[in-house]
Amino acid sequence: MQIAIEISMYPFRPNYEQPILNFIGLLKDEDGLRVQVNDMSTQIFGDFDTVMPRLQTAMKQAFTEEHTTVMVMKVLHVPE
């Protein structure tokens, strides 16, 4: 099952850029994911069973490294 995820990350700190770049870097390093970045969000495309565990790992690392972070996410099932 193919999915597309749009995710926006908001670290609550003055220098917010680096945690976002770190998060995107974790996702881009993964085989089987297509990652597109724009000014408002990051889109992730791939198989559900590939995307979700890798996204969970990247989110957990971001939450562990940052004191307070909000992530807003939309998930779309892409019919084949």
Side-chain angles (χ1 to χ4, degrees), residues 2-34:
Q2 295 296 305
I3 61 170
I5 297 176
E6 179 180 65
I7 189 165
S8 299
M9 179 178 174
Y10 305 98
F12 286 4
R13 67 181 206 154
N15 299 318
Y16 61 87
E17 296 93 348
Q18 195 57 54
I20 295 170
L21 294 173
N22 294 345
F23 178 72
I24 292 169
L26 289 172
L27 296 171
K28 283 187 170 184
D29 285 344
E30 294 289 342
D31 290 334
L33 301 184
R34 184 166 56 97

Side-chain angles (χ1 to χ4, degrees), residues 7-78:
I7 189 165
S8 299
M9 179 178 174
Y10 305 98
F12 286 4
R13 67 181 206 154
N15 299 318
Y16 61 87
E17 296 93 348
Q18 195 57 54
I20 295 170
L21 294 173
N22 294 345
F23 178 72
I24 292 169
L26 289 172
L27 296 171
K28 283 187 170 184
D29 285 344
E30 294 289 342
D31 290 334
L33 301 184
R34 184 166 56 97
V35 178
Q36 293 181 330
V37 179
N38 64 44
D39 293 338
M40 298 294 293
S41 65
T42 300
Q43 289 89 36
I44 308 157
F45 304 89
D47 181 74
F48 182 90
D49 291 330
T50 301
V51 172
M52 294 308 284
R54 293 175 181 171
L55 179 59
Q56 178 182 354
T57 299
M59 289 175 71
K60 185 174 183 176
Q61 183 168 336
F63 289 150
T64 301
E65 293 174 356
E66 292 301 313
H67 180 66
T68 303
T69 300
V70 173
M71 291 195 192
V72 178
M73 182 171 63
K74 293 183 257 182
V75 182
L76 170 69
H77 169 238
V78 181

